[in-house]
Amino acid sequence: MKKVILPILVLALTASISAGESSFMNEDLDSLISQYDKETLTAISNELVKLASEEEGMGEFDLASGHYTRAIKIREAIGMSEHKSFASIQYLASLAHSKAGNFCEASTFAKKASEGFRQHGITKFEQKANVEHKEYARVCAVVAFR
């Protein structure tokens, strides 16, 4: 049953990203979180990350950014924000946002990823994410100034 539900849910989330409807996205996520258990929501989050990675490979950075953001929101809602994978997804989201030209969002995700990597003692990625956070923040400031 779960094998049938997951693709349908991911497809519905993808459709709302494609439509660019953030309020619909929040309602969708709230509905998902209230209806499914932690295991299913983790699987949905994992599928969103996988889909985002595939979209990045096709150059669909806006779609990938949305899927990473949804995966992060699901993990936050089910209490997985302290898990190592959470920082990794934030880092991936920062990369996708930067490639999509959303440097302010990229900066925010890179900073959070750096903090998460630090909590887990992953120094190499902490430093990399921190450097990227600063680079994205500079570009964000320039874009905002215009």
Side-chain angles (χ1 to χ4, degrees):
M1 180 72 166
K2 286 184 183 179
K3 289 183 180 184
V4 173
I5 292 173
L6 285 177
I8 292 170
L9 293 173
V10 172
L11 186 61
L13 290 171
T14 300
S16 64
I17 287 175
S18 299
E21 301 172 6
S22 63
S23 64
F24 181 67
M25 176 177 111
N26 291 334
E27 290 171 13
D28 253 1
L29 288 176
D30 292 342
S31 175
L32 275 179
I33 291 163
S34 66
Q35 291 181 18
Y36 296 99
D37 62 2
K38 184 176 179 177
E39 180 183 339
T40 302
L41 291 169
T42 301
I44 292 169
S45 175
N46 290 340
E47 286 296 316
L48 288 168
V49 170
K50 181 179 169 186
L51 184 58
S53 177
E54 292 169 2
E55 289 166 343
E56 278 189 279
M58 295 184 295
E60 296 289 343
F61 303 114
D62 282 324
L63 287 174
S65 299
H67 283 117
Y68 284 129
T69 300
R70 285 191 168 149
I72 289 167
K73 287 183 179 190
I74 289 171
R75 287 176 182 255
E76 284 175 333
I78 59 176
M80 291 185 69
S81 59
E82 299 300 319
H83 196 273
K84 274 188 214 182
S85 65
F86 190 74
S88 296
I89 297 169
Q90 288 176 316
Y91 182 70
L92 293 171
S94 75
L95 296 175
H97 276 288
S98 72
K99 291 175 185 173
N102 304 322
F103 294 103
C104 298
E105 292 87 348
S107 175
T108 301
F109 280 116
K111 182 178 181 184
K112 290 177 182 179
S114 177
E115 293 166 357
F117 289 137
R118 182 178 37 242
Q119 285 178 342
H120 293 287
I122 307 171
T123 310
K124 178 181 175 181
F125 286 108
E126 172 197 348
Q127 292 169 350
K128 185 169 175 48
N130 192 41
V131 167
E132 290 174 5
H133 150 64
K134 291 175 185 175
E135 289 173 9
Y136 300 150
R138 273 186 283 227
V139 176
C140 173
V142 169
V143 171
F145 183 70
R146 291 183 182 179

